[in-house]
Amino acid sequence: MSALDPPGGRKAFAVWGIGVAVYFVAVIFRTSLGVAGLDAADRFHVNASALATFSLLQLLVYAGMQIPVGLMVDRLGTKKVLTLGAVLFTVGQLGFALSPSYGMALAARALLGCGDAMTFISVLRLGTRWFPARRGPLMAQLAGLVGMAGNLVSTLVLAPVLHGVGWVPAFAGSAGAGLIVLVPLVLFLRDHPEGHEPVAAVRGGGAGGGFVRRQIRESWAEPGTRLGLWVHFTTQFPAMVFLLLWGMPFLVEAQGLSRTTAGGLLTLVVASNMALGLVYGQVVGRRQSSRIPLALGTVGLTALLWGSVLVYPGDRAPMWLLITLCLVLGGCGPASMIGFDFARPANPAERQGTASGITNMGGFLASMTTLLAVGVLLDATGDNYRIAFSTVFVLEALGVAQILRLRPAALARETARTRITIPAQSAPTGAESLPGVAGREAR
């Protein structure tokens, strides 16, 4: 471990836990539409394309905010950005509950997406500032695991509440969770341990547009950042699309399952994600060479199972195949976190927020594209889910091609940085400029 690594410990877990709690609530709000898609279509009298626009707009705002949020985190610090995010997604969830029209509901989801966009990058930043670098992959996977627990709450809690008490009480009541997490966030969260201020905070970080352009240019120039984006792009979206909107309609309308059974399968995706997140975090933390095989293996297995379900003879796939698909989809989230394990060591501490924002755009851009394509194709083909879900394979092929293209340069540069850093670990400036590299050598 580098001498300048953060100490970790109980205080680090307490502070990080506050940030993760905010992210947990944000994911509940983000995925709440996934269990309410059919209800939303009835409430606002919209077709499949218009229904997809809810999630599409939310993800468009989320993806579009990633680089600005990364810059904000690097410039303003985690606490300010997380606080603003919690306020925005709480107001958005409440607005969605009370919206009397489709247009107002869209605006509320956009506001929710804006607040949601500020959470995950901030939590990643907390992990890198409060814990030793060697724990980076595991802390990122743990954060993703907690986020999936928020998805689990949507499926197991919000869905029955929605069907029991109705739209407005369910969504308005859930908005109270945002107020609950705001209290410890404002009172107790700190950006970093004492004595571990990032370079930008010490030097002033530059000014105005020059700072923004430099952060983006230098982050994007790193092959590791671009590889991270494409890993995230290729791995995350199949499960995101399934959980966020189209899984429930597909299982109910195309596969003839009851809502209860379909909800159980969505829960299985979440449970698989949580279990595999711990496994992926441990494997990547101990063996960096496993990153590409894990990512590509997950993509290949996802494509195989989706293809098997879509081409299965007859109108419906058997339950065992649907269960297997859901178990495999659970690996998409943990695999997407590997993208950050390429971006993190490629960028110094003062660029971590920006680099993470660029990486995090990948999966959400793919999710937006697929959400829209599925909705449009369903309307165009008379609800032919086999044709609509075939768009998954197109984006996976594009992503795999980019991963294979960028992999040699990114790994070569990472290896060169590692060799330079090993003899410089005793020099504070060298160790600080290459966060995460010295920590990996200690594994």
Side-chain angles (χ1 to χ4, degrees):
M1 181 176 66
S2 169
L4 292 182
D5 264 350
R10 293 182 180 179
K11 185 174 182 180
F13 272 104
V15 173
W16 179 81
I18 294 172
V20 169
V22 177
Y23 175 55
F24 172 77
V25 173
V27 174
I28 294 176
F29 292 177
R30 178 200 304 170
T31 58
S32 58
L33 186 60
V35 297
L38 298 177
D39 301 86
D42 292 338
R43 178 177 176 85
F44 298 111
H45 310 292
V46 295
N47 61 14
S49 297
L51 181 61
T53 303
F54 274 124
S55 295
L56 180 65
L57 177 62
Q58 182 181 336
L59 291 183
L60 178 64
V61 172
Y62 186 104
M65 286 292 294
Q66 288 308 292
I67 292 179
V69 167
L71 292 164
M72 290 170 64
V73 171
D74 287 337
R75 194 69 180 272
L76 302 177
T78 304
K79 182 173 183 175
K80 292 179 181 178
V81 177
L82 262 183
T83 301
L84 177 60
V87 171
L88 290 177
F89 68 59
T90 300
V91 173
Q93 183 77 343
L94 182 62
F96 190 60
L98 303 177
S99 295
S101 66
Y102 176 69
M104 291 185 67
L106 277 178
R109 295 305 286 187
L111 190 63
L112 191 157
C114 185
D116 181 19
M118 299 181 180
T119 59
F120 188 62
I121 300 300
S122 299
V123 171
L124 288 180
R125 176 73 168 205
L126 284 176
T128 60
R129 299 314 301 169
W130 280 91
F131 292 94
R134 68 180 184 275
R135 291 190 178 180
L138 180 59
M139 300 313 297
Q141 290 287 358
L142 286 175
L145 186 152
V146 173
M148 289 308 296
N151 201 325
L152 197 63
V153 169
S154 292
T155 305
L156 296 181
V157 178
L158 185 60
V161 169
L162 174 65
H163 299 141
V165 303
W167 182 278
V168 173
F171 279 95
S174 68
L179 299 177
I180 293 173
V181 296
L182 263 174
V183 176
L185 169 58
V186 172
L187 294 180
F188 302 115
L189 190 132
R190 299 292 180 268
D191 287 348
H192 46 70
E194 186 177 352
H196 291 269
E197 293 82 1
V199 173
V202 176
R203 297 180 182 173
F211 169 80
V212 172
R213 288 191 296 271
R214 184 176 67 253
Q215 289 286 97
I216 296 175
R217 182 180 64 250
E218 293 179 356
S219 296
W220 185 254
E222 292 291 345
T225 304
R226 284 176 276 138
L227 178 59
L229 179 147
W230 283 105
V231 168
H232 200 269
F233 177 100
T234 313
T235 53
Q236 187 203 47
F237 78 94
M240 177 70 71
V241 169
F242 195 79
L243 290 171
L244 200 60
L245 183 61
W246 291 122
M248 181 70 76
F250 169 73
L251 294 172
V252 173
E253 296 178 352
Q255 298 301 313
L257 303 180
S258 67
R259 289 196 179 196
T260 301
T261 303
L265 289 176
L266 295 181
T267 303
L268 184 60
V269 177
V270 177
S272 174
N273 183 298
M274 296 173 69
L276 291 175
L278 293 174
V279 175
Y280 278 45
Q282 290 287 351
V283 171
V284 173
R286 294 177 180 179
R287 187 179 295 273
Q288 291 285 294
S289 60
S290 67
R291 291 174 295 177
I292 291 293
L294 272 177
L296 293 182
T298 302
V299 173
L301 200 55
T302 302
L304 175 63
L305 265 298
W306 257 126
S308 299
V309 169
L310 295 180
V311 303
Y312 193 86
D315 295 333
R316 300 171 183 174
M319 180 58 70
W320 67 265
L321 186 55
L322 294 175
I323 290 174
T324 306
L325 170 65
C326 291
L327 289 172
V328 170
L329 286 176
C332 293
S336 72
M337 302 301 294
I338 296 173
F340 298 102
D341 294 320
F342 287 109
R344 187 183 304 111
N347 293 273
E350 61 269 24
R351 285 207 310 264
Q352 287 294 310
T354 305
S356 295
I358 292 173
T359 300
N360 206 32
M361 284 178 59
F364 290 93
L365 288 172
S367 296
M368 282 191 302
T369 303
T370 310
L371 280 169
L372 178 60
V374 169
V376 170
L377 287 173
L378 285 175
D379 286 339
T381 61
D383 292 337
N384 188 322
Y385 280 89
R386 289 182 173 179
I387 294 176
F389 273 113
S390 295
T391 54
V392 169
F393 307 115
V394 177
L395 270 71
E396 284 188 327
L398 171 63
V400 168
Q402 292 298 320
I403 291 171
L404 295 177
R405 181 179 69 85
L406 290 165
R407 173 183 173 273
L411 295 185
R413 186 164 176 81
E414 187 174 294
T415 300
R417 282 173 174 259
T418 303
R419 290 172 178 170
I420 293 172
T421 306
I422 290 175
Q425 286 184 6
S426 59
T429 55
E432 179 67 11
S433 65
L434 297 172
V437 177
R440 285 200 310 277
E441 293 305 299
R443 293 191 186 107

